[in-house]
Amino acid sequence: MEILLQQTVNAFALGGTYALLALGLAIVFSIMGLINFAHGELMTIGGYVLMYCGLAGLPFALTVGLAILSTTLAAMLMERIAFRPVRNASGATMLITSFAVSMILQVLFQNFISVRSQPVLLPQLLSDSVRVGGFIIGVNKLLAIAATVVMLVFLDWFMKHQKTGIAMRAAAEDFAVARLMGIRANSVIAGAFALSGLLAGVAAVLWVSQRASVDPLMGFTPVLKAFIAAILGGLGSLRGAVAGGFALGFIEIYLAAFLPAAWQEFRDPIGLGIVVGVLLLRPNGLIPAASLKAQKV
Amino acid sequence: MKRLLSTTALIAMATATTASAETLRIGLATAQTGGLAPYDAPVIEGVHIAVDEINATGGIGGTTPIELVERDVRSDPAQTSIAAQELVDDGVSVLVLPCDADPALAAIGIVAAAQVPAISTCASSPTLPLIGGDYMFANFPGDNVQATVSAEWAWGEGMKTGYILYSPDTQYTTMPLYFAEVFEKLGGQMLGEDTYSIGQQDFSAITTRIAALSPQPDVVMTSAYEPDFPSFLKALRAAGVTSQVIGSDGIDSPTTFSLGDAAEGVVFSTAGHATPGSPLEAFNAKYEEVMGHPTETVFNAVGYDLIKVIEAAALAAGSTEPQALRDAIADLENVQGATSMITYKGTDGMPVRQVSLIRVKGGERELVGQPSPTADLVPAARMQ
């Protein structure tokens, strides 16, 4: 029983990180129809900012702020430089563009920073753990859960009560009509990228605080997980992305925790098998986007 | 045919009269970008330092300068095979292949057909020369040798129970299986094992399971490397496990030494240690002088070793002809490299080299020892 609860805490922490990642992809997809595979490189940028600020000896709180700011700006730059010119092109063009951005950034990191992993100095507190009742919970797990809750509450408020947020929801439902109502396409799309950059920044801090290093290719795994989570939840749906992220986190942790030892080697295929199974039952994902319903199924 | 004959005659004449006209051409088909770049790039830095040093004295034996022909294979097996073919067609005498056994083996057909000796920069799987055949050589202490050294050390320290974490994804990450084999042969008991995928990121489920074991294992061994190793180690310590952790050369990296309390006391096996007055210390000083910053990894020195091996083989063969070089490499004994003495004689292509055990202490490296493994205990190479 105690193990089950302990593993559930682990699942919440991992699922929360996946949820933030999937949200970052979903926000951009809901408005532009673009799956931004360079989302992972935003995290890498955040990681390098953490590394350089750590080397410069800045206080950790300031470092985190700068890392999140840098990913937000980088996301907006990415939109301005790479995605605006192909905004009206086909989905495939945009997808390939995002792959290109991702690869170009990786090679730039390799050539101008280092091909090798660079250590990120983290406060000792993040490696510690606290005892709550009979459990031992890592501080970085608690932070991951707290950060997820804060970000979800913030996003909910932003989307419901902020003008830009409401405009983004309108654009996600029907971009053409939203524009006819006087919503500026440029600002909505830039806003979506900024938000996705913000989420990438928070996710980057959580991700890097676990691995304590940053390397040029580190963005690949998180973006892959985010993609799976976003599809599982329902591509383009923000609530779906959160549900998909948590579902993926729970699947991964529970399989790693409770699968018999002989089966552990096949953990990943089994996990993906479950995802496929869910999609067979719910082809549009757990919580499909409203706009998708008219087009498919 | 007549033309070929006369060309051959010309070459023979040239070599006979002016040996200085001869150069040893080495083809580098290594990963300068992509997932293997963290290992291949530092090795090639060391290669350049050694080549410049040798050429500054007029070349090998003062007469045969080395020419490097470089290709980036982008950590891709298919690209490795293409680059190897190009370099062979270009007439290189020796090929240098990427660090991992899998891309290195992608070039094996070309290497064998062209009968050009090939050396992997730092692949450590003992299966590499077994699969690769007579023309494939490694340049690193084998996984089975490293695991034997670690297991004998753990047993000698009085550790009786063990736990391993390995990944079936690559040959290298299965090193803990060798460790378990040796540890049990010595009389130790394995309490369990876990697998992970490379790049897994979250190890909390596994570490929670280890923390729930009662009694706790005396030693936890893994050959996970960055980013997996720091994630695993931090999660393990955060879960409250205080067992001795043993790693391997993949974690010989600045990150391991910057993890603070989590990494304190971790022991790992690697290719060398810069004891005062050692060749490695001299190499590290030279590296800093040439590159302007201190070396971050032993893989720089491993690259230097690689050229020293080729130099010794060329001197022994007295020729730059590939077949003669291959035979000379296979017969090399006690070549002084930067990290260790290197011997190929009597092996199948996996060199005999010293293994150093390092302990992380206060964010610095501390030499535990440079023991020789008991030959009978070293497990046979495991084919995956």
Side-chain angles (χ1 to χ4, degrees), chain B residues 317-340:
Chain B
S319 141
T320 58
E321 194 267 317
Q323 182 64 46
L325 281 174
R326 189 225 82 91
D327 295 342
I329 295 173
D331 209 35
L332 285 178
E333 230 174 326
N334 292 330
V335 177
Q336 180 67 59
T339 59
S340 137

Side-chain angles (χ1 to χ4, degrees), chain A residues 11-12 14-27 148-149 151-153 155-156 199 226 228-250 286-287:
Chain A
F12 265 111
L14 182 65
T17 312
Y18 286 166
L20 294 182
L21 283 166
L23 264 175
L25 283 193
I27 284 179
T148 311
V149 171
M151 286 308 293
L152 293 183
V153 169
L155 263 185
D156 194 59
L199 288 162
I228 296 169
I231 299 275
L232 178 64
L235 202 50
S237 137
L238 303 193
R239 285 177 200 287
V242 176
F246 277 106
L248 186 64
F250 273 86
L286 294 171
I287 308 178

Side-chain angles (χ1 to χ4, degrees), chain A residues 3 6-7 10 14 110-111 114-122 124 126-129 136 138 140-141 206-213 215 217 221 253 256-259 264-265 267-268, chain B residues 32-35 37-39 41-42 166 168 194-197 199-202 204-206 208-209 212 226-227 230-231 234 237-240 252-255 258-261 296-297 299:
Chain A
I3 291 249
Q6 184 97 49
Q7 297 290 18
N10 293 337
L14 182 65
Q110 286 193 328
N111 287 347
S114 173
V115 287
R116 286 186 66 80
S117 276
Q118 298 296 307
V120 176
L121 299 170
L122 298 165
Q124 182 58 40
L126 284 177
S127 308
D128 290 343
S129 45
I136 301 175
N140 68 351
K141 293 259 172 301
L206 297 176
W207 201 261
V208 170
S209 78
Q210 260 191 351
R211 48 181 272 154
S213 70
D215 68 71
L217 309 179
T221 310
I253 293 283
F258 302 117
L259 215 55
Q264 282 291 342
E265 221 175 296
R267 190 165 60 217
D268 288 349
Chain B
Q32 297 307 298
T33 51
Y39 304 94
Y166 72 97
D194 255 307
T195 57
Y196 70 100
S197 320
Q200 174 170 315
Q201 174 75 4
D202 191 274
S204 56
I206 292 171
T208 300
R209 179 166 39 238
E226 279 179 86
S231 300
K234 280 165 66 91
R237 295 307 188 214
D252 190 355
S253 130
T255 308
S258 68
L259 287 175
D261 290 351
E296 280 185 350
T297 159
F299 289 108

Side-chain angles (χ1 to χ4, degrees), chain B residues 113-197:
Chain B
Q115 302 194 321
V116 171
I119 309 181
S120 163
T121 53
C122 48
S124 56
S125 171
T127 53
L128 174 76
L130 280 185
I131 303 170
D134 288 348
Y135 291 87
M136 186 69 93
F137 297 91
N139 181 42
F140 212 80
D143 291 342
N144 48 352
V145 175
Q146 288 193 51
T148 307
V149 167
S150 303
E152 286 195 86
W153 175 77
W155 181 252
E157 292 288 300
M159 298 170 205
K160 303 278 183 253
T161 55
Y163 198 97
I164 53 169
L165 174 75
Y166 72 97
S167 169
D169 292 358
T170 66
Q171 312 255 352
Y172 175 72
T173 48
T174 60
M175 189 196 293
L177 295 173
Y178 291 123
F179 178 88
E181 193 178 330
V182 179
F183 196 63
E184 284 184 324
K185 224 185 272 175
L186 286 164
Q189 186 198 353
M190 296 311 295
L191 298 184
E193 58 176 44
D194 255 307
T195 57
Y196 70 100
S197 320

Side-chain angles (χ1 to χ4, degrees), chain A residues 255 263-276, chain B residues 197:
Chain A
L255 284 179
W263 290 45
Q264 282 291 342
E265 221 175 296
F266 308 103
R267 190 165 60 217
D268 288 349
I270 293 172
L272 289 175
I274 294 175
V275 171
V276 171
Chain B
S197 320

Side-chain angles (χ1 to χ4, degrees), chain A:
Chain A
M1 189 59 199
E2 196 177 287
I3 291 249
L4 177 69
L5 283 174
Q6 184 97 49
Q7 297 290 18
T8 305
V9 172
N10 293 337
F12 265 111
L14 182 65
T17 312
Y18 286 166
L20 294 182
L21 283 166
L23 264 175
L25 283 193
I27 284 179
V28 170
F29 183 84
S30 68
I31 291 172
M32 280 185 84
L34 156 75
I35 298 164
N36 184 10
F37 272 95
H39 195 73
E41 276 55 50
L42 292 174
M43 292 178 64
T44 315
I45 291 173
Y48 278 121
V49 171
L50 283 178
M51 171 197 109
Y52 282 119
C53 290
L55 288 179
L58 297 182
F60 190 65
L62 180 62
T63 300
V64 168
L66 286 174
I68 295 173
L69 182 68
S70 68
T71 54
T72 311
L73 291 177
M76 292 172 76
L77 272 178
M78 210 180 255
E79 189 271 328
R80 186 69 193 83
I81 297 169
F83 295 118
R84 195 171 289 187
V86 294
R87 187 185 289 168
N88 295 319
S90 71
T93 309
M94 287 198 284
L95 190 66
I96 301 290
T97 307
S98 84
F99 275 121
V101 171
S102 160
M103 276 180 200
I104 290 169
L105 285 175
Q106 285 176 1
V107 172
L108 288 179
F109 298 144
Q110 286 193 328
N111 287 347
F112 290 104
I113 300 179
S114 173
V115 287
R116 286 186 66 80
S117 276
Q118 298 296 307
V120 176
L121 299 170
L122 298 165
Q124 182 58 40
L125 177 71
L126 284 177
S127 308
D128 290 343
S129 45
V130 286
R131 259 174 204 285
V132 187
F135 300 101
I136 301 175
I137 303 174
V139 171
N140 68 351
K141 293 259 172 301
L142 289 177
L143 279 180
I145 295 172
T148 311
V149 171
V150 169
M151 286 308 293
L152 293 183
V153 169
F154 164 76
L155 263 185
D156 194 59
W157 166 80
F158 184 83
M159 287 298 190
K160 280 195 181 138
H161 302 288
Q162 277 295 304
K163 217 181 196 170
T164 322
I166 296 170
M168 281 163 67
R169 273 167 49 214
E173 232 158 79
D174 195 326
F175 207 165
V177 173
R179 288 183 76 177
L180 289 174
M181 301 291 147
I183 290 173
R184 292 174 59 91
N186 280 351
S187 63
V188 165
I189 292 177
F193 269 91
L195 261 189
S196 104
L198 177 76
L199 288 162
V202 176
V205 172
L206 297 176
W207 201 261
V208 170
S209 78
Q210 260 191 351
R211 48 181 272 154
S213 70
V214 46
D215 68 71
L217 309 179
M218 69 167 249
F220 177 72
T221 310
V223 86
L224 192 67
K225 301 284 186 189
F227 184 56
I228 296 169
I231 299 275
L232 178 64
L235 202 50
S237 137
L238 303 193
R239 285 177 200 287
V242 176
F246 277 106
L248 186 64
F250 273 86
I251 291 173
E252 287 192 355
I253 293 283
Y254 280 166
L255 284 179
F258 302 117
L259 215 55
W263 290 45
Q264 282 291 342
E265 221 175 296
F266 308 103
R267 190 165 60 217
D268 288 349
I270 293 172
L272 289 175
I274 294 175
V275 171
V276 171
V278 172
L279 288 176
L280 281 175
L281 295 175
R282 295 186 66 83
N284 284 338
L286 294 171
I287 308 178
S291 54
L292 213 65
K293 226 172 227 168
Q295 297 165 17
K296 291 185 186 164
V297 175

